[in-house]
Amino acid sequence: MSAVFLAGTPEHRCRVPDAANLSGAWRNHSVPLRLQDGRRVPHSCRRYRLAAIANFSALGLEPGRDVDLEQLEQERCLDGWEFSRDVYLSTIVTEWNLVCEEDWKPPLTTSLFFVGVLLGSFVCGQLSDRFGRKNILFTTMAVQTGFSFLQIFSINWEMFTVLFVIVGIGQISNYVVAFILGTEILGKSVRIVFSTLGVCTFFAVGYMLLPLFAYFIRDWRMLLLALTVPGLLCVPLWWFIPESPRWLISQRRFKEAEDIIQKAAKMNNIEIPAMTFDPMELQELNPLKQHRVFILDLFRTTNIATITVMSVLLWMLTSVGYFALSLDAPNLHGDAYLNCFLSALIEVPAYVTAWLLLRTLPRRYIIAGVLFWGGAVLLLIQLVPADYYFLSIGLAMLGKFGITAAFSMLYVFTAELYPTPVRNMAVGVASMASRVGSIIAPYFVYLGTDNRLLPYIVMGSLTVLNGIVTLFFPESLGMTLPETLEQMQKVKGFRSWKKPRQSVETEENPKVLITAF
């Protein structure tokens, strides 16, 4: 989310050189006006031809009275731009003039960061399986912190953007590996809270701190430094966070796993046998043989193919709505920093609400309900008079509430729909679709360059469509997790495998928890 402030575009207009021989009146009228959101504002990318107005100024002619401004020839901003410093002292946009003909670069900057996130999503799981959770967690944290620090010394937009891609790879990798490590280390009762409310809520807290940093530090290089330094606070955690005993056991490193378990027992004042693992059991321990599956298995029948296509659409459009609303928050009327803070704050009740709803109510109805809610309030923004901007902000935050709640419920819902052999792959494909959504989200914000309402009309319409699609999914609440593709194919909606509610609530499937991210 730091791109919101690092790549913010302040108000700007063509620069008129001080050396230009213009009267005060002609200098004030050197930039044509254009219609934007019902108001006439100075053009950001055009000015009247300087040679012509300098000639009129020398002849003593007055703009508007002696010369019809509508008939004057215009030209590009040949001498650069003047940027407003009311909101930002400097950004990468003001540093490298990423406006007008270059205005496609700021959204591409954010999109390429999410390309890095997509690449990191591919490799982080394999790396943590091969080299260990703890090693990859701290290595990717070092990548994120180190390359963020290098960005401060970027000499051009290309260098900044390439480094931003690498930061994206590190960011998602340590986020995912920290989630996996937490689920494997923590006990059952704490694990559930950690994997649902814990991770999401602390993400929102970090998100809320971002506009606070940006408010007091308005130069992009200093802001990036301030956002990078906290990464160093993770260094002492190396001596507090253990490796995952589950991973160590999978690598047959039983002595190290036993030492960690003994230490945990001592900290928790729990007596355990001197011999944690039975030597006979260790001899018989073999890697689990898993049935090999392929991505085409997600399209084997019409039923599972339809669910897969709908899942991809659901994840992608929800991701577009979430990230587009987050990235567009500073562009709303009012204070950019306050709007970004409110956009982060609204996520906390959204996560809590989603957690409570998932415990008792049918999945597809609550997901569709919050999507309908979010889409409807976004569509209402176009009806709000321009003077009531606080109402527009309130509706945008309510829309963000609905989409965030839906996004946080998709992990559980998708994992419950698919049978065990393809569950990991299905959630991975759906998650990849959400990364694609985040890559295109900045261009939904870009739609608001000329019409600030257009992004909300498009996002609102797509979110309502998303809600309609959700109603066609089978229900998973109270149903046994399917174990084979044949079970999923035979029973549409999983209605024939109901278990008593108590057994459903006590069932634990670690794969669902881990693949959720």
Side-chain angles (χ1 to χ4, degrees):
M1 299 301 178
S2 61
V4 166
F5 299 106
L6 298 176
T9 302
E11 292 182 1
H12 54 279
R13 53 181 284 175
C14 291
R15 175 182 286 116
V16 177
D18 295 334
N21 190 18
L22 296 177
S23 66
W26 275 108
R27 190 172 288 276
N28 291 335
H29 289 81
S30 60
V31 176
L33 299 178
R34 66 187 178 106
L35 197 64
Q36 180 179 344
D37 296 330
R39 299 181 297 118
R40 292 183 67 81
V41 297
H43 206 292
S44 300
C45 301
R46 307 289 292 177
R47 72 182 184 187
Y48 294 121
R49 195 162 67 86
L50 200 56
I53 63 176
N55 186 43
F56 292 138
S57 178
L59 294 173
L61 301 178
E62 291 293 320
R65 187 188 70 185
D66 304 318
V67 180
D68 184 4
L69 297 177
E70 297 290 334
Q71 303 301 317
L72 288 182
E73 186 181 353
Q74 298 180 11
E75 63 185 6
R76 295 184 298 110
C77 300
L78 302 177
D79 297 292
W81 291 264
E82 293 177 355
F83 293 95
S84 168
R85 293 164 68 92
D86 293 340
V87 180
Y88 312 108
L89 289 181
S90 74
T91 67
I92 65 169
V93 172
T94 64
E95 178 105 1
W96 297 307
N97 292 326
L98 306 182
V99 293
C100 300
E101 292 86 357
E102 304 282 310
D103 66 352
W104 53 273
K105 289 185 176 179
L108 181 61
T109 302
T110 310
S111 290
L112 289 176
F113 171 83
F114 286 115
V115 169
V117 170
L118 177 61
L119 296 174
S121 301
F122 279 124
V123 302
C124 64
Q126 289 87 337
L127 289 175
S128 67
D129 286 343
R130 173 69 181 83
F131 299 105
R133 317 307 194 204
K134 181 177 178 178
N135 291 333
I136 297 303
L137 171 62
F138 285 92
T139 300
T140 53
M141 178 60 72
V143 168
Q144 178 183 341
T145 303
F147 282 91
S148 291
F149 184 73
L150 289 178
Q151 277 186 292
I152 299 170
F153 304 100
S154 298
I155 58 174
N156 52 40
W157 173 77
E158 289 78 8
M159 178 179 174
F160 179 91
T161 303
V162 169
L163 293 173
F164 214 21
V165 173
I166 301 174
V167 171
I169 294 174
Q171 181 272 322
I172 191 62
S173 297
N174 65 60
Y175 187 85
V176 170
V177 175
F179 177 85
I180 295 173
L181 182 58
T183 58
E184 292 181 346
I185 288 178
L186 299 172
K188 179 181 177 182
S189 59
V190 181
R191 181 193 310 147
I192 295 171
V193 177
F194 167 80
S195 60
T196 53
L197 288 182
V199 172
C200 296
T201 303
F202 276 89
F203 172 84
V205 171
Y207 186 6
M208 282 186 272
L209 290 175
L210 171 63
L212 184 66
F213 275 58
Y215 180 80
F216 290 104
I217 308 172
R218 305 203 178 193
D219 174 81
W220 75 268
R221 293 183 193 271
M222 290 297 100
L223 174 61
L224 192 52
L225 177 61
L227 298 177
T228 301
V229 168
L232 300 177
L233 299 177
C234 294
V235 173
L237 297 179
W238 174 269
W239 290 274
F240 293 94
I241 297 178
E243 180 55 271
S244 166
R246 296 174 190 269
W247 180 80
L248 290 170
I249 292 171
S250 74
Q251 302 297 306
R252 308 186 69 82
R253 291 161 60 176
F254 304 114
K255 181 66 174 67
E256 295 171 67
E258 185 172 3
D259 290 343
I260 292 172
I261 294 170
Q262 294 278 4
K263 183 179 179 182
K266 184 177 180 181
M267 291 176 64
N268 292 317
N269 296 318
I270 295 175
E271 292 289 336
I272 63 171
M275 183 183 297
T276 308
F277 302 120
D278 188 329
M280 295 300 295
E281 290 181 354
L282 297 183
Q283 292 294 328
E284 299 172 1
L285 185 61
N286 292 312
L288 291 176
K289 293 182 179 179
Q290 295 185 348
H291 176 64
R292 224 178 147 186
V293 293
F294 302 93
I295 195 168
L296 290 179
D297 287 326
L298 298 179
F299 301 91
R300 181 181 290 185
T301 67
T302 303
N303 182 49
I304 194 169
T306 303
I307 292 175
T308 299
V309 171
M310 289 195 303
S311 296
V312 166
L313 187 65
L314 177 62
W315 279 68
M316 185 169 67
L317 294 183
T318 306
S319 178
V320 166
Y322 173 80
F323 284 104
L325 283 174
S326 300
L327 296 171
D328 195 48
N331 298 331
L332 295 166
H333 284 301
D335 187 272
Y337 303 96
L338 178 61
N339 291 342
C340 186
F341 176 79
L342 293 175
S343 179
L345 182 64
I346 199 68
E347 293 195 8
V348 176
Y351 293 135
V352 174
T353 300
W355 181 64
L356 293 173
L357 292 175
L358 279 174
R359 299 179 67 182
T360 54
L361 298 177
R363 314 296 200 216
R364 62 188 181 124
Y365 290 129
I366 57 176
I367 294 175
V370 292
L371 287 172
F372 283 138
W373 165 270
V377 295
L378 291 179
L379 289 173
L380 285 176
I381 292 177
Q382 62 186 306
L383 305 178
V384 178
D387 295 337
Y388 292 82
Y389 65 86
F390 59 89
L391 185 55
S392 297
I393 294 172
L395 291 174
M397 294 305 124
L398 291 175
K400 174 81 182 290
F401 173 90
I403 292 174
T404 302
F407 207 1
S408 65
M409 289 188 276
L410 293 186
Y411 299 104
V412 173
F413 183 48
T414 305
E416 290 177 342
L417 288 177
Y418 284 91
T420 301
V422 296
R423 185 173 296 122
N424 283 338
M425 185 181 297
V427 177
V429 168
S431 181
M432 186 177 71
S434 79
R435 308 301 179 202
V436 174
S438 65
I439 290 170
I440 64 177
Y443 290 95
F444 280 75
V445 179
Y446 186 64
L447 292 174
T449 303
D450 295 315
N451 185 339
R452 70 175 185 86
L453 294 176
L454 188 56
Y456 297 98
I457 295 172
V458 175
M459 285 188 288
S461 303
L462 290 177
T463 303
V464 170
L465 172 64
N466 221 8
I468 295 172
V469 169
T470 306
L471 292 175
F472 288 93
F473 278 94
E475 183 52 62
S476 63
L477 177 69
M479 308 297 175
T480 304
L481 291 176
E483 293 297 333
T484 64
L485 290 169
E486 288 69 26
Q487 286 180 329
M488 189 176 181
Q489 293 162 7
K490 288 178 183 176
V491 185
K492 187 176 180 180
F494 312 110
R495 287 199 179 93
S496 67
W497 307 328
K498 270 194 178 178
K499 291 167 58 175
R501 177 61 54 87
Q502 184 179 357
S503 64
V504 172
E505 289 176 350
T506 56
E507 181 178 26
E508 181 189 356
N509 191 325
K511 286 187 179 180
V512 174
L513 275 177
I514 294 174
T515 56
F517 279 71

